[in-house]
């Protein structure tokens, strides 16, 4: 599957998600979709990012927009993370990195001098026709959810 490209339709994918469901991008046609990739459940930046999307959920829903979080954590960790922070949106478990690779978010990272392959915090906005309209890579959490909300308003 080729990586996504701006102003091009995003190839369909399916992945396991919280709520004991399988998310299929094609099932979301007719709604805007915000997919945000984050490194790990229950870490400070990832928690704040999820809370920021949660706190703006009414505004996103008013504009017919679905939010999905994606990391490589398992479904059990996702269910706990989602419940703990009352996220009104679902989290996709991408243990085999299929969705991550489709969106090209696995990058070489450094932590305490060690290099490893990890998720580069990134967000993608797909319009109601399934076309990628905006992407944010190397995201800084502060004010990010507001930027995404503004981009949805401008679709």
């Amino acid at each position: 599957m080729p990586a996504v490209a701006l102003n091009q339709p995003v190839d369909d994918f399916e992945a396991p998600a919280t709520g004991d469901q399988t998310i299929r991008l094609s099932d979301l046609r007719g709604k805007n979709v915000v997919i945000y990739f984050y490194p790990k459940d229950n870490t400070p930046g990832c928690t704040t990012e999820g809370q920021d999307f949660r706190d703006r959920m009414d505004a996103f829903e008013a504009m017919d927009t679905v939010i999905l979080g994606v990391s490589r954590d398992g479904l059990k960790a996702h269910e706990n993370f989602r419940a703990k922070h009352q996220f009104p949106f679902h989290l996709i478990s991408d243990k085999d990195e299929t969705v991550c690779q489709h969106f090209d978010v696995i990058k070489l990272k450094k932590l305490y001098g060690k290099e490893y392959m990890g998720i580069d915090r990134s967000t993608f906005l797909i319009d109601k026709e399934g076309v990628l309209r905006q992407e944010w890579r190397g995201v800084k959490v502060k004010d990010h959810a507001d930027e995404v909300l503004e981009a949805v308003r401008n679709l």
Side-chain angles (χ1 to χ4, degrees):
M1 202 175 341
V4 298
L6 273 176
N7 302 314
Q8 296 297 315
V10 176
D11 287 336
D12 198 19
F13 65 83
E14 65 177 53
T18 51
D20 198 27
Q21 62 179 336
T22 298
I23 299 279
R24 277 179 203 81
L25 186 60
S26 57
D27 292 346
L28 301 172
R29 213 35 75 73
K31 292 185 177 292
N32 300 309
V33 180
V34 169
I35 301 177
Y36 78 95
F37 291 82
Y38 63 96
K40 187 129 184 70
D41 290 344
N42 286 307
T43 54
C46 300
T47 300
T48 299
E49 185 175 24
Q51 290 169 337
D52 288 350
F53 280 117
R54 175 197 67 199
D55 295 347
R56 289 154 183 79
M57 199 64 204
D58 289 347
F60 280 110
E61 284 178 340
M63 293 182 288
D64 241 359
T65 303
V66 174
I67 293 179
L68 297 168
V70 183
S71 83
R72 297 181 298 187
D73 293 294
L75 286 172
K76 190 174 191 314
H78 274 354
E79 293 289 3
N80 293 339
F81 186 44
R82 187 173 175 240
K84 182 177 178 180
H85 299 286
Q86 299 164 338
F87 294 155
F89 48 83
H90 288 285
L91 301 175
I92 289 174
S93 173
D94 192 31
K95 282 184 165 240
D96 65 3
E97 299 180 358
T98 306
V99 183
C100 288
Q101 288 174 2
H102 184 42
F103 285 86
D104 192 28
V105 298
I106 301 292
K107 302 290 179 210
L108 186 64
K109 301 175 91 177
K110 273 189 176 151
L111 184 66
Y112 305 121
K114 288 197 170 113
E115 290 187 339
Y116 66 99
M117 297 305 284
I119 292 179
D120 182 39
R121 190 182 307 277
S122 306
T123 303
F124 299 85
L125 173 57
I126 301 167
D127 72 12
K128 294 178 180 188
E129 283 76 50
V131 175
L132 179 62
R133 291 300 176 194
Q134 198 151 349
E135 61 181 22
W136 295 262
R137 295 182 181 271
V139 166
K140 301 284 180 254
V141 172
K142 186 171 170 32
D143 301 324
H144 178 60
D146 288 328
E147 278 179 50
V148 176
L149 190 57
E150 190 58 32
V152 174
R153 279 194 189 103
N154 292 328
L155 277 180

